[in-house]
């Protein structure tokens, strides 16, 4: 058995895994298929020698498998990293793509330190993400049905009294006499389904309140950061979870997709809109928060007015407000954590002094 450190690449599938092990000299020690069982893989790795790190193809189930693999690792053993989904998508575009080659490439990139990793979120955060995603799917259904009702009314040139989707407006749309027979039936069906979906959204939001009742991050966000309501706090707690994993506000803003893409070439320096590699749901919520801040907060309202006077487009101004707001949020959240961390460190030091035997 060689004493060289080992690096492992795992091409993940629901039923089986392709596991490649290379040492620090790029020698392939093993590359074969396994059943999707973390215990079997951990046993094989323990027999081979000292494993430094394991890279897993990022996909559904990979995070759960990574946690299971860590639970079977020896004390002080290897670390587990998830390969960035964008990189994994590029692997699929290879003309000679095989599980054998993918696992080998992941292991080798991990060995040389070029693997674009992804944070392995703990189980409570992944559970919160599932709830947030479920709510978002229902909200998207509700929006689609509202758009369909509005399209039918416009097609038949019907104008209703009251604000859009108010109780008066909705009751006027139901069984409207000017609608054709088929259109009236469709509108009534959509309104009934809309009522049902709205009730389901309320149930999910109630579940989210219960799930985050004791979440310290949600409480801190709502009490510390202006413009953060329930939905924004849930999204930030689910997709950011730990502000400390970002070195600065610029990194956090880029993760949220609020940084402009650089489209420079030669002496020409230019931007090309917001970056695409981001969670679109999180970015949409932050853009909506920026719209609220531009109306209700004097600081951000003044900044928006200055940018608009310079001739910036409204959408560009909104993105700029969201970008700077997220950066300031990172600074304030990290500053709020420092006193608590210092107090905890002082308490630990005092406890250690008290535990020392008398000289």
């Amino acid at each position: 058995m060689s004493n060289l450190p080992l690096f492992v690449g795992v091409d993940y599938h629901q039923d089986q895994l392709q596991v490649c092990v290379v040492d620090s000299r790029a020698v392939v020690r093993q590359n074969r298929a396994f059943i999707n069982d973390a215990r079997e893989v951990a046993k094989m790795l323990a027999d081979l020698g000292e494993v430094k790190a394991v890279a897993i193809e990022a996909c559904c189930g990979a995070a759960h498998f990574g946690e299971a693999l860590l639970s079977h690792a020896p004390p002080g053993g290897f670390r587990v990293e998830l390969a960035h989904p964008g990189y994994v998508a590029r692997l699929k575009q290879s003309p000679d793509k095989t599980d054998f080659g993918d696992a080998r490439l992941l292991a080798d990139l991990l060995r040389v330190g070029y693997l674009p990793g992804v944070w392995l979120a703990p189980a409570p955060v992944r559970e919160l993400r599932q709830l947030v995603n479920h709510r978002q799917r229902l909200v998207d259904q509700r929006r689609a049905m509202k758009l369909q009702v509005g399209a039918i009314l416009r097609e038949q040139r019907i104008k209703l009294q009251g604000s859009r989707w108010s109780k008066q407006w909705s009751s006027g749309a139901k069984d409207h006499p000017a609608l054709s027979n088929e259109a009236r039936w469709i509108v009534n069906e959509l309104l009934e389904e809309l009522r049902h979906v709205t009730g389901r959204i309320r149930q999910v939001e109630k579940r989210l309140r219960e799930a985050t009742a004791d979440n310290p991050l949600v409480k801190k966000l709502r009490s510390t950061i202006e413009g953060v309501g329930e939905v924004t706090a849930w999204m930030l707690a689910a997709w950011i979870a730990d502000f400390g994993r970002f070195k600065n506000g610029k990194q956090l803003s880029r993760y949220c997709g609020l940084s402009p893409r650089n489209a420079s070439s030669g002496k020409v320096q230019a931007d090309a809109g917001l970056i695409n590699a981001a969670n679109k749901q999180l970015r949409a919520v932050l853009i909506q928060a920026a719209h609220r801040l531009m109306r209700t907060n004097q600081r951000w309202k003044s900044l928006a007015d200055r940018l608009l006077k310079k001739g910036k487009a409204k959408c560009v101004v909104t993105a700029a407000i969201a970008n700077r707001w997220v950066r300031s949020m990172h600074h304030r959240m990290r500053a709020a954590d420092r006193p608590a961390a210092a107090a905890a460190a002082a308490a630990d030091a005092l406890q250690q002094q008290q535990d020392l035997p008398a000289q």
Side-chain angles (χ1 to χ4, degrees):
M1 180 185 298
S2 174
N3 293 326
L4 294 175
L6 304 176
F7 301 88
V8 183
V10 179
D11 189 69
Y12 184 90
H13 296 278
Q14 183 176 358
D15 298 323
Q16 69 175 26
L17 314 166
Q18 185 71 31
V19 181
C20 178
V21 182
V22 300
D23 61 26
S24 58
R25 295 180 180 175
V27 177
V28 177
R29 300 283 298 279
Q30 192 169 125
N31 194 345
R32 66 186 184 90
F34 282 82
I35 62 172
N36 194 334
D37 189 338
R39 290 173 297 181
E40 293 293 328
V41 177
K43 182 180 178 181
M44 181 271 291
L45 296 179
D47 294 338
L48 285 178
E50 180 190 0
V51 176
K52 286 290 186 182
V54 177
I56 307 174
E57 177 186 10
C59 56
C60 292
H64 186 274
F65 174 80
E67 279 196 343
L69 190 60
L70 284 174
S71 67
H72 295 292
F78 49 81
R79 70 181 189 276
V80 172
E81 296 185 12
L82 297 182
H84 195 282
Y87 175 77
V88 174
R90 291 186 180 91
L91 283 179
K92 296 178 181 178
Q93 298 173 5
S94 172
D96 299 318
K97 182 187 182 303
T98 62
D99 294 346
F100 186 92
D102 291 351
R104 171 73 174 84
L105 189 55
L106 288 173
D108 204 38
L109 288 172
L110 185 62
R111 179 185 66 86
V112 297
Y114 284 172
L115 181 76
V118 178
W119 180 58
L120 180 58
V125 175
R126 299 201 303 271
E127 293 291 320
L128 181 58
R129 288 178 178 180
Q130 288 188 352
L131 280 175
V132 167
N133 285 339
H134 183 54
R135 178 190 176 276
Q136 188 60 44
R137 283 191 292 269
L138 293 175
V139 169
D140 291 342
Q141 290 180 23
R142 180 175 63 181
R143 182 188 304 112
M145 286 184 287
K146 286 184 175 182
L147 291 173
Q148 191 173 353
V149 171
I152 293 174
L153 294 176
R154 285 195 303 273
E155 183 181 357
Q156 307 223 348
R157 303 177 63 190
I158 295 175
K159 294 183 179 180
L160 301 175
Q161 299 295 324
S163 301
R164 241 174 117 78
W165 294 109
S166 63
K167 290 184 178 180
Q168 179 186 5
W169 192 94
S170 300
S171 60
K174 186 173 183 178
D175 295 322
H176 196 282
L179 287 169
S180 64
N181 291 334
E182 304 303 332
R184 187 184 305 115
W185 184 86
I186 293 174
V187 167
N188 291 342
E189 284 287 305
L190 288 171
L191 290 175
E192 180 63 26
E193 189 175 356
L194 186 62
R195 184 187 64 80
H196 174 66
V197 171
T198 301
R200 292 181 62 192
I201 292 175
R202 293 196 187 100
Q203 293 177 359
V204 177
E205 290 177 344
K206 179 181 177 182
R207 183 78 175 186
L208 277 164
R209 292 187 190 98
E210 295 172 354
T212 59
D214 298 325
N215 190 309
L217 180 58
V218 172
K219 294 179 179 179
K220 189 181 299 183
L221 284 167
R222 299 202 63 189
S223 62
T224 306
I225 309 300
E226 73 284 355
V228 174
E230 276 187 333
V231 176
T232 308
W234 292 335
M235 291 294 292
L236 291 172
W239 295 110
I240 296 176
D242 180 12
F243 282 83
R245 64 191 180 97
F246 300 95
K247 293 182 180 179
N248 49 49
K250 184 177 180 180
Q251 277 193 358
L252 175 60
S253 178
R254 194 162 187 83
Y255 171 81
C256 296
L258 298 173
S259 298
R261 288 190 294 121
N262 194 321
S264 303
S265 177
K267 295 183 179 180
V268 178
Q269 304 293 322
D271 294 332
L274 299 179
I275 60 175
N276 291 324
N279 185 307
K280 302 302 189 296
Q281 295 179 12
L282 176 60
R283 180 164 64 186
V285 167
L286 295 176
I287 291 292
Q288 291 171 7
H291 278 289
R292 293 194 302 271
L293 290 169
M294 290 164 59
R295 296 192 307 267
T296 61
N297 187 280
Q298 186 58 42
R299 173 191 173 186
W300 302 112
K301 184 178 179 181
S302 300
L303 177 58
D305 291 340
R306 291 200 302 271
L307 293 175
L308 289 171
K309 288 179 181 178
K310 291 181 179 180
K312 302 292 185 181
K314 182 67 175 294
C315 59
V316 174
V317 173
T318 305
I321 296 296
N323 186 356
R324 298 191 186 188
W325 178 59
V326 167
R327 292 190 183 201
S328 68
M329 183 192 306
H330 179 272
H331 174 74
R332 293 168 63 181
M333 294 298 291
R334 295 294 291 148
D337 290 338
R338 289 189 194 103
D348 291 341
L350 179 60
Q351 184 64 36
Q352 290 177 3
Q353 291 179 359
Q354 293 175 350
D355 292 342
L356 290 175
Q359 298 294 329

